[in-house]
Amino acid sequence: MISTLQPPRSLSHFRSNPTLLLRYTSLKPLSSLSSQPVTHSTIPDQSQSPNPPSHSQILSTRHSLLSRHLTATQLAESFLTRLRLTEPHLRSFLHVSDSVLAQARELDEKIQRNEELGPLAGVLVAIKDNICTAEMPSTAGSRVLEGYTPPYDATAVRKIKELGGIVVGKTNLDEFGMGSTTEASAYQVTANPWDISRVPGGSSGGSAAAVSARQCMVSLGSDTGGSVRQPASFCGVVGLKPTYGRVSRFGLMAYASSLDVIGCFGTSVADAGILLHAISGHDRLDATSSKREVPDFSAQFVSMNLLESKPLKGLRIGLIRETLDDGVDTGVTSAVRTAALHLEELGCCVTEVSLPSFSLGLPAYYILASSESSSNLSRYDGVRYGNQVAADELNSQYMDSRAKGFGSEVKRRILTGTYALSAGYYDAYYKRAQQVRTVIQKSFKTALDEHDILISPAAPSAAYKIGEKKNDPLAMYAGDIMTVNVNLAGLPALVLPCGFVEGGPAGLPVGLQMIGAAFDEGKLLKVAHIFEQTLQNCRFVPPLIADEVA
């Protein structure tokens, strides 16, 4: 759908020597890091620092602009060039904004006039295409909304713009967020930057791939059952799913309203946390948004030179036993257990914890999500919403508009949900699934009363080949087993890369999932940030751009 991109140079330009990407081989003790430079601090301090943290693109961008080292136009041109060169191979975007450079020039003029800059000034943000944008199409990856441009911005998008962020474009997704590979998009299949023959995960695969390939600095996705966290694991980036209610859902096209949240992608924990802070807060346009005060998440980013030898001493970590059972790849299990050992080196007390109801989450999730989707998607009938198919009478118009507008995966879930809500089966399926949801919520509460954070793999495997599971829906659904329980419980979770497994030209990244108590994103960010800074011999830059990104 992108007609403005220039033809790429030879793909060989992007292939790198696999030795440039260091494998997950060893972890240096924290004592050996005492001489390392400062990498993170709070936003106000770092914006004035002569050495902004290299791991945070947001803070580095702000420092570059304030110091006049680079202009916003130069930064925008750099990212747009990389986008044009990589996009034909990745297909991350469904639409690229034609006003990026104009917005960057306006920002440069503000800087020349010494006007105050917002905390996201000059930051290039990509938006998943099921989040409404007033000046760009929002299709949810579906033909039923092809060409639709909303008359308003989603609250999260509006906040990003108000804080100076520049929206690069709209990213590809599984249609209406229903899928785990981004192959269910009605428009194109997105590839994984680590290996273009593999999927980036889903449904927010476009947003994850765009951040991984540095086509943008950060991005927004949506997470109904793991759609931010699983792609983050597959693409080697940080993915943050906030507590249900932390971020307004106004402007997010509904799939399953009791499960949907807007989440954040970044190449670092700091970037994900800063972006979350920017979009969080109560919204009168969303009755489910929380009125709880939003803390300053950047306060959790402790500078390396201030860390003690055991910076996480006394923290209780629970490794969920059921997430390491049969069905999880050996390499994934090994990477997660090695990450748990590193947390112990940092002072954590790591013990295995059992959640007996964990396996019940997957069937309960698909009953509840499909039931809610059958209701939410009824509005796309060609009359109220969606493209209309000409017909002689109303019922035919409804049927033809939906039959031609929806893809096979969406139809499958609508039919499943309608069946579960029908009079003869409501008690057996939907009501029982709600009861299971309550059990899962209590199980998590009990575990988090005894532990500060729970950890698990983000997915049973690393990224798999394009087409490998497309024709086996049940196998694809099983890949969500690590993430769906968190949505059923409404809890926050963060995924960050913790190692590699064999595969592709330079290995495939593995993500570690950290789960916290409701509205305790700050603790997740603190632990993840320290873990990220002390993790050695890992460079999470995909081979597609490794030659270009130092």
Side-chain angles (χ1 to χ4, degrees):
M1 296 180 67
I2 302 174
S3 59
T4 59
L5 298 180
Q6 298 298 317
R9 287 178 279 176
S10 170
L11 182 59
S12 62
H13 169 75
F14 300 106
R15 291 200 182 103
S16 66
N17 186 337
T19 59
L20 289 175
L21 296 176
L22 301 176
R23 295 295 181 87
Y24 190 71
T25 55
S26 64
L27 294 165
K28 294 183 180 179
L30 191 63
S31 58
S32 68
L33 301 173
S34 58
S35 62
Q36 294 292 322
V38 177
T39 54
H40 287 291
S41 184
T42 60
I43 295 177
D45 291 338
Q46 290 300 330
S47 67
Q48 304 300 325
S49 170
N51 297 301
S54 60
H55 290 280
S56 172
Q57 292 194 75
I58 293 177
L59 296 180
S60 295
T61 295
R62 183 172 182 81
H63 174 74
S64 295
L65 296 179
L66 291 175
S67 65
R68 312 293 175 95
H69 178 66
L70 288 173
T71 66
T73 302
Q74 289 173 325
L75 285 169
E77 287 175 341
S78 173
F79 276 87
L80 287 176
T81 298
R82 188 182 296 118
L83 189 154
R84 293 189 183 98
L85 293 171
T86 56
E87 184 58 18
H89 309 296
L90 296 182
R91 301 175 295 279
S92 303
F93 285 85
L94 292 177
H95 181 82
V96 175
S97 173
D98 57 7
S99 65
V100 173
L101 292 179
Q103 294 179 66
R105 284 191 289 268
E106 289 181 8
L107 179 58
D108 287 332
E109 292 172 1
K110 289 182 64 176
I111 295 172
Q112 290 297 323
R113 296 192 297 267
N114 293 317
E115 295 183 16
E116 185 176 353
L117 300 183
L120 296 183
V123 175
L124 301 174
V125 187
I127 308 294
K128 187 176 179 179
D129 203 36
N130 63 344
I131 301 173
C132 290
T133 48
E135 298 173 356
M136 284 180 281
S138 300
T139 68
S142 177
R143 293 291 180 189
V144 79
L145 286 175
E146 186 172 10
Y148 172 67
T149 300
Y152 62 92
D153 284 323
T155 297
V157 175
R158 175 180 57 79
K159 288 185 174 184
I160 287 172
K161 290 181 177 179
E162 289 174 351
L163 295 176
I166 298 174
V167 176
V168 177
K170 306 300 290 293
T171 55
N172 194 28
L173 70 156
D174 290 296
E175 187 177 5
F176 283 102
M178 300 182 189
S180 303
T181 64
T182 315
E183 294 173 286
S185 169
Y187 301 103
Q188 59 195 28
V189 175
T190 298
N192 192 316
W194 288 87
D195 180 354
I196 60 174
S197 70
R198 297 177 185 268
V199 300
S203 63
S204 306
S207 290
V211 170
S212 179
R214 278 52 169 187
Q215 295 177 319
C216 59
M217 297 179 188
V218 291
S219 66
L220 293 186
S222 64
D223 192 312
T224 304
S227 293
V228 164
R229 289 160 289 152
Q230 184 247 33
S233 177
F234 280 12
C235 292
V237 296
V238 177
L240 178 55
K241 173 217 172 290
T243 307
Y244 184 84
R246 172 69 84 185
V247 178
S248 171
R249 292 185 298 111
F250 180 74
L252 171 64
M253 298 179 188
Y255 162 19
S257 302
S258 71
L259 302 167
D260 296 339
V261 296
I262 292 177
C264 308
F265 290 99
T267 55
S268 69
V269 173
D271 282 347
I274 293 168
L275 183 60
L276 175 63
H277 186 271
I279 65 175
S280 294
H282 177 66
D283 179 15
R284 63 180 181 82
L285 299 175
D286 175 12
T288 64
S289 69
S290 173
K291 294 183 179 179
R292 188 179 296 232
E293 183 179 354
V294 180
D296 180 8
F297 297 129
S298 64
Q300 304 298 330
F301 306 145
V302 181
S303 299
M304 285 290 292
N305 65 338
L306 298 179
L307 292 180
E308 302 173 355
S309 60
K310 298 285 186 180
L312 297 179
K313 185 177 180 179
L315 200 75
R316 301 164 299 168
I317 303 289
L319 176 57
I320 303 176
R321 184 178 304 146
E322 287 77 9
T323 65
L324 301 174
D325 290 342
D326 294 339
V328 182
D329 286 1
T330 303
V332 171
T333 300
S334 177
V336 170
R337 288 196 179 278
T338 305
L341 289 175
H342 183 46
L343 287 169
E344 287 186 334
E345 291 180 358
L346 294 172
C348 297
C349 176
V350 181
T351 57
E352 286 197 1
V353 58
S354 178
L355 298 180
S357 62
F358 197 86
S359 63
L360 302 178
L362 193 65
Y365 165 80
Y366 274 101
I367 292 295
L368 295 174
S370 296
S371 298
E372 293 187 32
S373 73
S374 71
S375 174
N376 279 325
L377 270 64
S378 64
R379 70 193 70 177
Y380 303 105
D381 54 15
V383 177
R384 291 170 292 179
Y385 293 94
N387 293 317
Q388 187 178 103
V389 173
D392 294 332
E393 53 101 14
L394 188 60
N395 283 337
S396 295
Q397 185 182 83
Y398 284 165
M399 290 188 292
D400 290 348
S401 297
R402 292 168 69 81
K404 294 181 180 180
F406 290 142
S408 59
E409 183 61 33
V410 172
K411 292 174 184 175
R412 183 182 295 117
R413 298 197 192 193
I414 289 174
L415 290 172
T416 300
T418 302
Y419 180 84
L421 291 173
S422 61
Y425 299 97
Y426 179 89
D427 288 346
Y429 292 104
Y430 184 78
K431 185 177 179 180
R432 181 64 61 86
Q434 289 285 27
Q435 292 170 338
V436 170
R437 183 177 191 169
T438 300
V439 171
I440 290 170
Q441 289 170 340
K442 292 179 178 178
S443 178
F444 269 109
K445 185 179 186 307
T446 299
L448 287 167
D449 283 343
E450 299 174 356
H451 300 84
D452 295 290
I453 287 176
L454 305 178
I455 61 172
S456 76
S461 69
Y464 33 85
K465 294 283 188 178
I466 292 174
E468 184 177 330
K469 299 188 178 183
K470 185 176 181 180
N471 297 319
D472 189 353
L474 293 181
M476 187 167 61
Y477 297 166
D480 296 335
I481 192 168
M482 303 296 180
T483 53
V484 294
N485 287 275
V486 177
N487 294 79
L488 291 171
L491 300 176
L494 182 148
V495 167
L496 76 165
C498 67
F500 291 94
V501 297
E502 294 295 328
L508 299 172
V510 174
L512 174 68
Q513 177 174 227
M514 297 182 178
I515 305 165
F519 298 100
D520 203 5
E521 291 89 353
K523 185 179 293 181
L524 292 178
L525 290 165
K526 176 182 178 179
V527 175
H529 179 258
I530 292 174
F531 181 95
E532 175 187 66
Q533 299 307 299
T534 56
L535 186 66
Q536 297 296 297
N537 297 327
C538 279
R539 182 170 181 253
F540 294 103
V541 179
L544 193 68
I545 59 167
D547 287 338
E548 184 181 352
V549 178

